[in-house]
Amino acid sequence: MSQLLKISLPDGSVREMPVGSTPADVAAAIGPGLAKAALAARIDGELRDLTRPFDGDCTLALVTAKDEADALDLARHDFAHVLAEAVQALFPGTQITFGPSTDDGFYYDFAPAERPFTDEDLPAIEAQMRGIIAANKPLRREEWSRAQLISRWQQQGESFKAEWAAELPDAETLTVYWSGDDWLDMCRGPHLPATGKLDPNAFKLTRVSGAYWRGDQNNAMLSRIYGTGWLNKKQLEEHLHRLEEAAKRDHRKLGGEMDLFHLQQEAHGSVFWHPKGYMIWRELEAYMRRAIDGAGYREVKTPQIMDARQWEQSGHWGKYRENMFVIPDEVPNVDDEGPVISGEADWMALKPMNCPAHVLIFRQGIKSYRDLPLRIYENGCCHRNEPHGALHGLMRVRQFTQDDAHIFCREDQIVDEVQAFCALADRIYQDFGFTYAIKLALRPEKRFGSEEMWDQSETELREAVVKAGLATEHYGWEELPGEGAFYAPKLEWHLTDAIGRTWQVGTIQSDRVLPERLDAGYVAEDGGKHRPVMLHRAIFGSYERFIGILIEHYAGKLPVWLAPVQAVVATIVSDADDYARDVTEQLKAAGIRVETDLRNEKINYKVREHSLQKVPHLLVVGKREAEEGTVAIRTLGEERQRFMPLAEAIAMLKGEATPPDLR
RNA sequence: GCCGCUUUAGCUCAGUCGGUAGAGCACAUCAUUCGUAAUGAUGGGGUCACAGGUUCGAAUCCUGUAAGCGGCACCA
């Protein structure tokens, strides 16, 4: 006699269903509308296929398009499978490997039979995918044995899949999903009941790229196809629109349009700052100096080039030599004939970081425990020969200036210092309108120092964040195993910008390795020599990158205090020229960065041009203003203009041009 | 570094089948004195990324190099 299963539904009711029935049967029993809308099921909280039979009594929540997060993930995962099926249909002999969902869509990695895919292949693949969706092929789950899987993959010439099948953990139930009766992929699932549940107008293949098998550069280079996938056409269009808006704030584009900086082949990876861009830098530098002066740091400047032996001792030479700029300590040969250098000189290197130089300053003279904590700050210009494929505008460059400091302190001062740093970083990020998450990056596989040392350093950083009240969900608190530096665990600050993207910027690292390697010591109360702990920390990260982030965050519309040109005085008729000059002089005297536009152009033209240049305030003067001693202010982003007496305008601009920390 | 794509005027781009280059903007000159996102006319400006090759002839076809773009890997 057949038993009945008790299925508890979200409304509290319980349905009795025969053994072997599925969530789809429950949906059908409730009503045809739900049967049609159901996409998957949550069984005791676990997301499962709609057509997978119940294991026993359970709670059931049917998943529909209204459960957006689940529905999107299911759809994206299915799009990836449909993509793989389409590619194998169009390009026989292509091997499939792996294809997950992503934040906005999906990708699939292929081992192509002949050549990697190109953008030109995408339209045909999209059309093939739409065909598979239109065919409404059922997606059917089957449990297979490992031997079955390996044999199938080997038979099909799918060597990557076979390799993977052999390595899947023993504990896992191995499953495949059929698409109709003619195609299958090995997959944990779950999936939608059929390809027809996908909206054929809700996806778009976006790009192709290379990607290493299993993310390891020693492995084969696969050909990856990316797509973006959504539940309906409207969502897709909104997403594509967001991408266009994000592209408009690209710092490389705005950097050119606003005449802030440029990059060129002759110094690739290093920035040519133009006067306007460097004004932003100078404001940030002045801001940061006020911040560190107030927080008890001492600013220093250290050599750009040091003997290679210094880098050997610090441990950087062994690990990072290939990314260092190395130069001979030698005058080049003056003869035109013969080699430029003898090759016999000692090697020096451009500093890739400031830490060892700061230790050398610390080591001058004898330090007492009374000197600690000693906070040494530098706007440190560093050079790293980054892999060429990594360079990206201002975000990843070969020459950069860090807002770098090292706090030399006693063991018992670490938590207080880290906590104080948390407060300083919080204040600074708020001044720029960023929210942030804090993460703790734990010991990496390859590292220096003892286990006890790592235990202690990680514990201290954790404790400081807890004490600062930041180890909460609100601050995205999370620990990242294996992500630390080779000498220390790191706290990382991940900023969220105006359109929701995140940027890792600030850091503090608790280091007991470098003080040891570079022999830093101080005399303690007991008269004995002790090692200080060295806290490496930065808030902007680098000026280059931080400015890049600010440009994108503000979409070029920098707050007045950072704007390179804070106001432009523009005339309507040449009769107002003298008055415009007078207004400009008065603004300059008030410390405003102002330019004058007396050109013989229509006011429409001037408004357009200065708006595109993202000048915060345009002060328009014509006959009327000249007679009345007023200005007409048009503020960036507003269509309205405001008339006010000059004195009032100056007071307003002065207020807005005051940096946030001085208000 | 790896995979794919790209490189033509200061900028954005067009250039068909191989027959030594074109637009808009910008710039210069002239006219225009105008009230809130492009006034008009005229003019100057290019070793078609670089180096080889094929060809009677190369921006165009081939090879190599470099840089840029999208990813991957890396990121002290």
Side-chain angles (χ1 to χ4, degrees):
Chain A
M1 118 186 192
S2 72
Q3 277 184 316
L4 289 178
L5 300 174
K6 289 189 170 57
I7 310 299
S8 314
L9 298 173
D11 64 2
S13 67
V14 176
R15 272 182 188 257
E16 298 200 324
M17 299 294 291
V19 170
S21 61
T22 68
D25 297 330
V26 175
I30 295 174
L34 187 57
K36 197 170 170 216
L39 300 173
R42 275 205 179 273
I43 307 294
D44 295 332
E46 184 196 346
L47 197 61
R48 287 197 181 181
D49 302 309
L50 208 54
T51 53
R52 180 168 164 190
F54 296 112
D55 300 330
D57 294 349
C58 63
T59 65
L60 164 68
L62 290 161
V63 173
T64 67
K66 283 181 187 158
D67 306 293
E68 195 160 87
D70 281 340
L72 275 171
D73 198 55
L74 284 161
R76 287 167 181 165
H77 193 172
D78 280 17
F79 277 126
H81 274 240
V82 172
L83 167 61
E85 184 177 345
V87 165
Q88 286 203 312
L90 289 174
F91 302 89
T94 301
Q95 290 193 57
I96 52 175
T97 69
F98 179 69
S101 60
T102 64
D103 286 346
D104 69 353
F106 56 95
Y107 66 78
Y108 209 106
D109 286 348
F110 301 95
E114 286 167 20
R115 56 165 180 86
F117 301 113
T118 72
D119 290 332
E120 281 153 26
D121 298 323
L122 298 183
I125 299 172
E126 281 184 0
Q128 184 74 20
M129 288 174 69
R130 293 203 170 89
I132 294 168
I133 292 169
N136 196 17
K137 300 173 80 172
L139 298 169
R140 200 174 75 253
R141 180 177 185 272
E142 272 179 17
E143 292 185 13
W144 282 26
S145 72
R146 186 186 304 277
Q148 250 179 313
L149 280 170
I150 294 174
S151 139
R152 159 95 186 186
W153 293 132
Q154 282 174 347
Q155 198 188 324
Q156 305 261 319
E158 297 275 5
S159 56
F160 292 95
K161 281 286 188 191
E163 177 187 326
W164 196 6
E167 290 178 33
L168 282 168
D170 282 328
E172 207 164 297
T173 307
L174 304 180
T175 54
V176 298
Y177 278 80
W178 284 95
S179 166
D181 297 318
D182 56 337
W183 192 84
L184 70 75
D185 194 358
M186 178 168 73
C187 180
R188 190 182 297 143
H191 279 281
L192 299 174
T195 58
K197 292 281 181 187
L198 294 170
D199 182 338
N201 297 312
F203 79 97
K204 183 175 163 57
L205 299 182
T206 48
R207 53 184 179 258
V208 296
S209 91
Y212 298 106
W213 167 236
R214 297 182 151 195
D216 185 337
Q217 62 175 327
N218 298 311
N219 289 342
M221 173 63 67
L222 305 173
S223 186
R224 175 175 295 180
I225 298 179
Y226 281 96
T228 183
W230 301 85
L231 296 179
N232 53 57
K233 189 176 180 184
K234 183 160 171 266
Q235 284 184 347
L236 172 67
E237 280 171 356
E238 282 167 359
H239 175 69
L240 295 177
H241 180 68
R242 278 195 297 276
L243 289 184
E244 278 171 31
E245 290 302 307
K248 280 185 196 161
R249 47 175 82 209
D250 188 306
H251 72 281
R252 295 165 299 184
K253 180 173 176 285
L254 290 170
E257 288 172 1
M258 295 170 69
D259 193 19
L260 303 176
F261 65 88
H262 85 271
L263 297 156
Q264 70 180 63
Q265 194 163 343
E266 285 70 11
H268 71 104
S270 299
V271 185
F272 293 81
W273 287 100
H274 297 192
K276 286 180 181 171
Y278 201 58
M279 187 52 78
I280 303 172
W281 182 305
R282 289 178 18 153
E283 280 292 343
L284 288 177
E285 208 171 47
Y287 171 90
M288 185 54 82
R289 284 201 167 105
R290 292 190 298 272
I292 57 127
D293 286 352
Y297 291 75
R298 319 282 304 277
E299 185 172 352
V300 300
K301 200 72 182 171
T302 63
Q304 207 62 49
I305 303 173
M306 288 201 290
D307 195 298
R309 278 185 286 268
Q310 184 62 37
W311 304 108
E312 279 171 37
Q313 205 179 338
S314 68
H316 293 96
W317 188 257
K319 198 165 173 7
Y320 293 110
R321 185 176 44 197
E322 64 185 28
N323 294 319
M324 288 170 67
F325 287 102
V326 176
I327 48 176
D329 183 12
E330 186 177 346
V331 177
N333 191 350
V334 292
D335 294 334
D336 288 342
E337 309 291 325
V340 178
I341 55 165
S342 70
E344 287 164 16
D346 283 340
W347 291 110
M348 303 192 80
L350 282 164
K351 69 174 170 183
M353 46 164 12
N354 308 298
C355 331
H358 291 185
V359 174
L360 294 181
I361 289 180
F362 180 85
R363 280 173 41 129
Q364 290 294 302
I366 295 170
K367 292 292 181 292
S368 151
Y369 71 94
R370 297 175 205 277
D371 296 323
L372 306 184
L374 182 61
R375 309 183 190 90
I376 296 183
Y377 175 90
E378 177 170 6
N379 286 315
C381 178
C382 298
H383 289 80
R384 294 180 188 172
N385 198 348
E386 302 285 8
H388 288 194
L391 299 177
H392 179 93
L394 297 178
M395 300 304 187
R396 190 85 179 269
V397 286
R398 303 208 297 176
Q399 176 190 308
F400 54 93
T401 301
Q402 298 174 316
D403 63 312
D404 198 9
H406 296 91
I407 302 171
F408 296 87
C409 65
R410 304 190 311 250
E411 301 270 341
D412 62 308
Q413 294 170 325
I414 296 171
V415 172
D416 284 348
E417 285 300 315
V418 174
Q419 208 184 323
F421 177 76
C422 288
L424 181 66
D426 180 74
R427 203 193 82 204
I428 290 177
Y429 293 143
Q430 280 194 36
D431 278 344
F432 293 93
F434 289 116
T435 56
Y436 58 84
I438 303 187
K439 322 250 179 217
L440 176 57
L442 305 169
R443 68 196 79 182
E445 264 180 48
K446 290 183 77 178
R447 58 181 179 264
F448 290 165
S450 66
E451 293 310 292
E452 297 74 52
M453 184 215 90
W454 281 92
D455 290 341
Q456 198 180 346
S457 295
E458 289 173 0
T459 305
E460 286 155 358
L461 292 182
R462 196 178 287 122
E463 185 187 337
V465 179
V466 170
K467 274 195 167 176
L470 302 174
T472 64
E473 204 177 319
H474 176 73
Y475 285 99
W477 174 246
E478 180 180 18
E479 303 198 358
L480 309 170
E483 299 280 313
F486 73 89
Y487 51 80
K490 320 190 244 194
L491 286 174
E492 302 175 345
W493 274 253
H494 296 248
L495 305 188
T496 300
D497 73 9
I499 58 171
R501 297 170 302 179
T502 58
W503 307 91
Q504 202 246 293
V505 171
T507 185
I508 187 164
Q509 307 161 7
S510 169
D511 176 13
R512 291 172 162 86
V513 170
L514 268 187
E516 176 79 32
R517 289 185 75 100
L518 298 179
D519 193 26
Y522 69 91
V523 179
E525 283 171 283
D526 61 10
K529 189 178 172 185
H530 291 252
R531 293 256 175 249
V533 173
M534 197 174 169
L535 304 176
H536 307 247
R537 43 110 297 164
I539 292 178
F540 290 161
S542 84
Y543 282 85
E544 286 82 356
R545 185 153 177 276
F546 198 70
I547 292 173
I549 292 168
L550 288 179
I551 292 169
E552 303 212 354
H553 175 56
Y554 292 119
K557 295 173 190 163
L558 295 160
V560 177
W561 73 280
L562 284 174
V565 178
Q566 296 169 318
V568 167
V569 181
T571 51
I572 295 170
V573 291
S574 53
D575 287 348
D577 285 1
D578 287 341
Y579 179 63
R581 287 193 193 95
D582 183 35
V583 169
T584 304
E585 285 314 309
Q586 291 196 45
L587 286 168
K588 275 188 184 160
I592 306 298
R593 294 189 289 269
V594 58
E595 289 181 355
T596 313
D597 186 352
L598 306 181
R599 289 176 304 172
N600 176 11
E601 295 289 353
K602 289 189 169 179
I603 194 62
N604 280 330
Y605 181 87
K606 295 186 183 182
V607 167
R608 176 181 157 81
E609 189 158 275
H610 299 299
S611 297
L612 289 173
Q613 283 294 305
K614 316 260 193 276
V615 175
H617 294 292
L618 187 62
L619 277 54
V620 177
V621 296
K623 272 187 195 149
R624 201 190 309 156
E625 287 75 13
E627 281 161 16
E628 294 172 354
T630 59
V631 290
I633 297 191
R634 179 171 168 134
T635 297
L636 186 63
E638 293 176 18
E639 284 177 23
R640 226 162 33 83
Q641 51 181 329
R642 284 174 290 171
F643 295 90
M644 61 177 80
L646 179 55
E648 198 180 312
I650 291 174
M652 185 194 87
L653 287 174
K654 255 179 105 165
E656 288 187 20
T658 305
D661 59 316
L662 297 179
R663 282 176 195 166

